[in-house]
Amino acid sequence: MAKKRVVLAYSGGLDTSVAIGWISRDLDAEVICVAADVGQGGEDMNVIKQRALDCGAVESIVLDLKEEFANDYCLPALKANALYMDRYPVVSSLSRPLISKALVEAAHKHNASVVGHGCTGKGNDQVRFEVSISALDPSLEIIAPVRDSGMTRDKAITFAEEHNLPINVNKKSPYSIDQNVWGRAVETGFLEDIWNGPIEDIYAYTEDPSTPRPNDEILITFKDGVPVAIDGQDVSMLQAIEIMNKRAGAQGIGRIDMVEDRLVGIKSREVYEAPGAIALITAHQELSNVTMEREIARYKRGVEQRWSELVYDGLWFTPLRRALDRFIDSAEAGVSGDIRMNMHAGKAVVTGRRSEESLYSFDLATYDTGDTFDQSMAKGFIEIFGMTTVLSAARDRKFKHDK
Ligand code: ARG
């Protein structure tokens, strides 16, 4: 009988490297590793590919998913101004559904009946992987050796040493890091004391915002909510993020230190850096203020929050997320034009906006000559607008409901 085949989400780190041998042994299975490039940078993907083979994988696949990640995951997040708890640009939450899709496709292609990941049992990522994988193919069995089969850190190190795995067990950083082109998440021991401040050492995408340096003025052009040019040069979504990561990162923009509500019920301390995401969202929000009609703009703010929570909670492959994206796409029609932004000392500040589709009317807004707004109409408008408030307030005073 042919051996059972397992597709493993492989990062190249200690845990997933050990998991290859661990799974092969425990399940008497063949392990096929899938490493996804979602713009995390760091190690060469070919080195990671070879390491999987050296650790005993029968097949090692490296996928360049950067463009797809930028276009189909980061762009919807930008259009949604996605900030979980008003701050976290849902960095890790965005990559998990795409990686899950890649795992399921690999399982189909290589005749695997099992999919594995290296998440622990305390985080959101296990939920995102498993809900996404099951949504795409409920017949696949899912295993999580770190969570379910006692693969603790000490045992992983012993296993690596006993089996002479080509990984430096001492090189493991004290931080738990997840990164992609949309940003970077860092968790670590000393930050678990929420009174401790982050140290400069943990940051990789951003410079220290307090270092004196000249400012950087940038012009970002959007078409229907999509960033299409920077300083007049056409860019793809991926290029837009990469350029903004560099330029906003050099100004120390996009550092976030927060306590966050995880889906599993834990409150956790997270440090993020997402220079490109934060700078792009800042520009996009302000262009929306100029071009989006008031009622849809107000409604969209609620949609944005719901979208961020859904995606954070691992519910990417759901009818609600798809439907909200259709609403957002429709609302973004006309979010076109230029934003001028000054980036300096950790802040991106919009200083200018211009758009052919602007709803801002100088003639209506001005207090100078040229004013076309008929102020005499305001008095009657206020009387009718305020009528129910005035009536009910009088009633509530009379019956003492106005406490
Ligand atoms: N708390 C964030 C989230 O749930 C980031 C988790 C990333 N993982 C990590 N190892 N730092 O989306």
Side-chain angles (χ1 to χ4, degrees):
M1 211 182 80
K3 271 195 172 182
K4 197 176 219 173
R5 308 196 106 196
V6 179
V7 163
L8 175 68
Y10 185 64
S11 70
L14 171 70
D15 288 345
T16 50
S17 295
V18 168
I20 299 170
W22 194 281
I23 293 168
S24 313
R25 182 195 64 190
D26 278 11
L27 299 183
D28 188 26
E30 293 179 338
V31 176
I32 298 150
C33 286
V34 174
D37 184 354
V38 284
Q40 61 269 43
E43 259 191 321
D44 188 316
M45 293 307 283
N46 288 316
V47 173
I48 293 179
K49 181 178 176 151
Q50 188 56 44
R51 185 174 307 136
L53 295 170
D54 295 343
C55 289
V58 297
E59 192 105 42
S60 180
I61 303 158
V62 162
L63 299 168
D64 180 356
L65 303 180
K66 291 194 291 289
E67 294 282 352
E68 187 178 0
F69 182 57
N71 293 327
D72 298 348
Y73 296 80
C74 302
L75 179 56
L78 173 60
K79 288 179 173 177
N81 298 315
L83 296 170
Y84 177 67
M85 293 174 78
D86 294 332
R87 297 190 67 197
Y88 165 46
V90 296
V91 173
S92 303
S93 338
L94 283 179
S95 69
R96 302 316 180 193
L98 174 57
I99 296 170
S100 299
K101 188 159 82 74
L103 294 171
V104 171
E105 283 164 7
H108 292 166
K109 194 163 157 213
H110 295 274
N111 260 318
S113 58
V114 184
V115 173
H117 64 74
C119 301
T120 71
K122 292 176 77 167
N124 299 310
D125 288 330
Q126 52 170 344
V127 182
R128 297 170 184 147
F129 276 123
E130 296 188 24
V131 172
S132 298
I133 292 163
S134 302
L136 295 169
D137 183 350
S139 74
L140 289 169
E141 187 192 333
I142 301 173
I143 57 169
V146 175
R147 180 190 66 193
D148 299 333
S149 62
M151 207 191 96
T152 58
R153 200 169 137 62
D154 315 353
K155 285 193 195 155
I157 292 174
T158 313
F159 188 98
E161 283 166 353
E162 276 173 13
H163 293 79
N164 259 324
L165 296 185
I167 32 176
N168 185 347
V169 294
N170 302 316
K171 220 184 83 197
K172 174 133 176 146
S173 97
Y175 310 117
S176 161
I177 296 168
D178 181 52
Q179 60 191 52
N180 60 52
V181 76
W182 200 236
R184 185 165 176 273
V186 186
E187 292 166 59
T188 177
F190 83 94
L191 291 173
E192 285 166 4
D193 178 340
I194 60 177
W195 186 250
N196 286 340
I199 51 170
E200 220 27 60
D201 196 42
I202 66 173
Y203 295 108
Y205 284 16
T206 53
E207 300 293 327
D208 184 344
S210 64
T211 306
R213 64 171 73 77
N215 69 323
D216 184 7
E217 191 178 84
I218 196 163
L219 183 85
I220 308 175
T221 306
F222 289 86
K223 172 83 183 117
D224 297 329
V226 183
V228 291
I230 290 177
D231 289 336
Q233 298 279 336
D234 287 354
V235 288
S236 67
M237 182 62 191
L238 179 61
Q239 288 168 331
I241 305 168
E242 287 173 342
I243 292 169
M244 294 308 290
N245 274 343
K246 270 210 193 75
R247 287 177 62 176
Q251 299 288 336
I253 290 164
R255 291 187 175 185
I256 300 147
D257 174 3
M258 66 187 283
V259 170
E260 157 183 316
D261 281 312
R262 282 193 193 162
L263 176 60
V264 294
I266 299 169
K267 280 191 190 288
S268 66
R269 164 63 157 322
E270 310 278 340
V271 174
Y272 300 109
E273 43 182 352
I278 294 298
L280 284 168
I281 289 173
T282 303
H284 176 258
Q285 279 174 327
E286 181 59 8
L287 187 61
S288 306
N289 290 346
V290 175
T291 53
M292 199 177 286
E293 187 276 330
R294 182 187 66 192
E295 293 308 314
I296 194 157
R298 286 181 175 176
Y299 194 85
K300 183 168 177 277
R301 280 184 202 112
V303 170
E304 292 173 357
Q305 191 182 339
R306 195 71 192 88
W307 193 97
S308 307
E309 288 168 356
L310 267 179
V311 171
Y312 183 87
D313 288 350
L315 303 179
W316 183 271
F317 295 108
T318 56
L320 182 56
R321 200 274 308 159
R322 280 195 299 274
L324 294 184
D325 269 332
R326 287 196 195 134
F327 168 84
I328 292 169
D329 273 337
S330 168
E332 291 289 303
V335 181
S336 304
D338 297 328
I339 287 292
R340 188 182 62 229
M341 206 158 57
N342 183 33
M343 302 193 290
H344 188 55
K347 285 207 167 60
V349 178
V350 174
T351 58
R353 21 352 229 151
R354 80 185 158 200
S355 167
E356 283 174 15
E357 304 200 48
S358 172
L359 294 173
Y360 174 87
S361 161
F362 178 85
D363 293 345
L364 287 174
T366 185
Y367 286 99
D368 295 340
T369 41
D371 180 7
T372 59
F373 187 90
D374 180 356
Q375 297 196 36
S376 71
M377 297 191 306
K379 191 169 153 49
F381 166 74
I382 295 165
E383 240 167 74
I384 294 173
F385 172 76
M387 194 179 307
T388 78
T389 303
V390 173
L391 278 172
S392 61
R395 191 274 316 267
D396 292 345
R397 238 183 341 271
K398 183 169 166 193
F399 291 94
K400 306 208 181 322
H401 296 319
D402 61 344
K403 292 289 167 261

